[in-house]
């Protein structure tokens, strides 16, 4: 006989932190449930205790915080898509959110859930990587900020301690001289797990790249940046030869595998092609 799971539903962050710090048995944080319910359905979720944070309103909201936007962990994709602040200062996060699931998933799935689920194919993650976002992590012990690009320690592993939850993510605002770009390649443009997914932020001056950051998903055990390709492009004049060199460099630098969704060869080739597509857009 299996017993019913226990669910705690705090309404304040302090209550949520207290529940996480006092526990003597593993407790699973439940946000929108769009990843967890799939596991539950497949009998792959073995926890018997849940901390349902859905009613903690302190985890909601998108705020202008000077040079950055602060996005509460429970912010859904629908809220990101509708936000004027996100459209203006992080437009590729809107583009990414539009490709995530269908409307039902966009209404319920949260950015905090996407971050902590830690799938290499999480579609918001390349944007957070390219923007050098920061993850705000909290517990009864206090809060700390972790650079997003240091949040993952390996496949599906994060720096989170068992008593911590993700409170918010802070994303530096896109500056006037910068452009960003998001492109997901799946079996379809939306409602498909990506074969490769890129987000790029760049600043150019007169056809020359001043700075560029590139986040790539589905091509390594975690979402990654590609520092060698970024170095190659920084300061480069965007000639057809430079674009071709960057296309080859990123195809070499990523570490994709062949799996059910795609092959290593396809992922290397298409990731290079998508980067080249963006670079050509920058000069036109
Ligand atoms: C049909 C379908 C289509 C989908 N399509 C896509 C897609 O196209 N692209 C994509 O990236 N994803 C997709 N997903 C996956 C999922 O919707 C997203 O990853 C979503 O963002 C998860 O958020 P959630 O709030 O539902 O997380 P939950 O399922 O509640 O939680 C996910 C994980 O994060 C942990 N967690 C959640 N919030 C916190 C927090 N604040 N602090 C600490 N831990 C936390 C949970 O304990 C759990 O381990 C899809 C899922 C389904 C079912």
């Amino acid at each position: 006989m299996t017993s019913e799971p226990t669910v705690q539903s705090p309404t304040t962050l302090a209550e949520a932190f207290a529940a996480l710090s006092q526990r003597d048995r593993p407790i699973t944080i439940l946000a929108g449930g769009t990843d967890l319910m799939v596991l539950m359905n497949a009998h792959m979720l073995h926890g018997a205790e849940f901390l349902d944070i859905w009613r903690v309103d302190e985890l909601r909201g998108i705020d202008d915080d000077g040079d950055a936007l602060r996005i509460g962990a429970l912010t859904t994709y629908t809220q990101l898509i509708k936000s004027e602040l996100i459209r203006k200062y992080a437009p590729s996060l809107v583009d990414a959110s539009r490709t995530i699931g269908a409307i039902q998933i966009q209404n319920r799935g949260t950015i905090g859930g996407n971050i902590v689920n830690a799938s290499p194919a999480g579609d918001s993650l390349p944007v957070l990587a390219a923007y050098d976002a920061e993850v705000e992590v909290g517990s009864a012990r206090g809060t700390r900020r972790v650079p997003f690009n240091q949040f993952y320690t390996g496949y599906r592993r994060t720096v989170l301690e068992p008593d911590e939850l993700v409170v918010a993510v802070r994303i530096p605002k896109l500056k006037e001289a910068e452009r960003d770009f998001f492109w997901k390649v799946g079996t379809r443009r939306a409602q498909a797990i990506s074969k490769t997914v890129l987000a790029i932020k760049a600043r150019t001056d007169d056809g020359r790249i001043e700075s560029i950051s590139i986040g790539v998903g589905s091509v390594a055990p975690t979402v990654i940046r590609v520092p060698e390709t970024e170095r190659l492009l920084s300061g480069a004049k965007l000639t057809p030869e430079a674009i071709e060199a960057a296309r080859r460099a990123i195809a070499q630098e990523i570490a994709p595998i062949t799996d059910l969704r795609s092959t290593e060869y396809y992922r290397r080739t298409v990731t290079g092609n998508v980067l080249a597509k963006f670079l050509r857009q920058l000069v036109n």
Side-chain angles (χ1 to χ4, degrees):
M1 200 178 82
T2 52
S3 55
E4 281 290 302
T6 321
V7 183
Q8 294 185 55
S9 301
T11 54
T12 67
L13 206 44
E15 286 168 10
F17 289 158
L20 284 171
S21 67
Q22 282 160 19
R23 69 208 176 81
D24 45 16
R25 281 172 298 170
I27 192 163
T28 303
I29 295 169
L30 177 68
T34 59
D35 277 312
L36 286 178
M37 291 303 164
V38 174
L39 294 180
M40 198 177 265
N41 229 11
H43 304 287
M44 288 165 68
L45 196 62
H46 304 298
E49 292 203 31
F50 292 91
L51 184 72
D52 173 11
I53 56 173
W54 194 252
R55 292 163 67 202
V56 181
D57 284 339
E58 289 155 90
L59 294 171
R60 295 205 157 79
I62 300 166
D63 298 309
D64 191 330
D65 194 19
D67 289 342
L69 298 179
R70 183 179 183 277
I71 306 169
L74 280 183
T75 304
T76 65
Y77 300 109
T78 300
Q79 288 163 340
L80 290 171
I81 292 165
K82 287 187 173 164
S83 162
E84 284 302 323
L85 283 173
I86 302 289
R87 281 186 203 182
K88 184 167 177 195
Y89 294 118
S92 57
L93 196 51
V94 172
D95 296 338
S97 301
R98 285 209 172 103
T99 73
I100 294 182
I103 285 173
Q104 295 89 333
I105 295 295
Q106 291 170 7
N107 282 342
R108 186 80 195 178
T110 66
I111 192 158
N114 207 224
I115 293 170
V116 181
N117 191 50
S119 161
D123 286 316
S124 73
L125 310 184
V127 182
L128 302 179
Y131 268 76
D132 280 308
E134 272 186 332
V135 185
E136 209 178 294
V137 167
S139 71
R141 294 175 288 123
T143 51
R144 61 186 177 120
R145 288 192 195 174
V146 182
F148 178 78
N149 287 309
Q150 293 168 23
F151 188 73
Y152 300 108
T153 54
Y155 178 66
R156 298 252 177 186
R157 294 168 69 95
T158 76
V159 299
L160 277 186
E161 297 292 340
D163 64 340
E164 288 181 321
L165 57 75
V166 169
V167 175
V169 58
R170 309 175 80 91
I171 180 162
K173 288 179 181 170
L174 191 72
K175 300 193 179 69
E176 229 161 74
E178 293 174 335
R179 281 177 58 187
D180 73 348
F181 172 88
F182 172 85
W183 197 261
K184 166 173 170 173
V185 180
T187 310
R188 305 174 289 202
R189 280 298 319 275
Q191 296 223 56
I193 303 176
S194 57
K195 297 169 193 272
T196 179
V197 50
L198 274 86
I200 308 172
K201 191 169 81 154
R203 177 201 292 265
T204 53
D205 183 28
D206 195 22
R208 190 179 294 282
I209 291 197
E210 286 186 337
S211 66
I212 186 161
S213 49
I214 306 168
V216 200
S218 284
V219 296
T222 66
V223 63
I224 55 166
R225 287 274 294 267
V226 279
E228 283 172 33
T229 307
E230 291 174 6
R231 252 194 306 276
L232 182 78
L233 281 167
S234 294
K237 187 93 183 155
L238 283 175
T239 59
E241 294 73 28
I243 294 175
E244 177 56 22
R247 193 182 65 72
R248 277 189 268 112
I250 197 170
Q252 279 302 311
E253 191 171 4
I254 58 177
I257 55 166
T258 295
D259 63 10
L260 270 179
R261 278 177 280 130
S262 192
T263 62
E264 176 191 340
Y265 174 77
Y266 180 90
R267 286 182 158 119
R268 286 192 194 277
T269 308
V270 173
T271 302
N273 291 349
V274 174
L275 174 61
K277 174 189 172 82
F278 170 68
L279 296 174
R280 281 194 296 269
Q281 279 181 16
L282 274 183
V283 269
N284 293 323

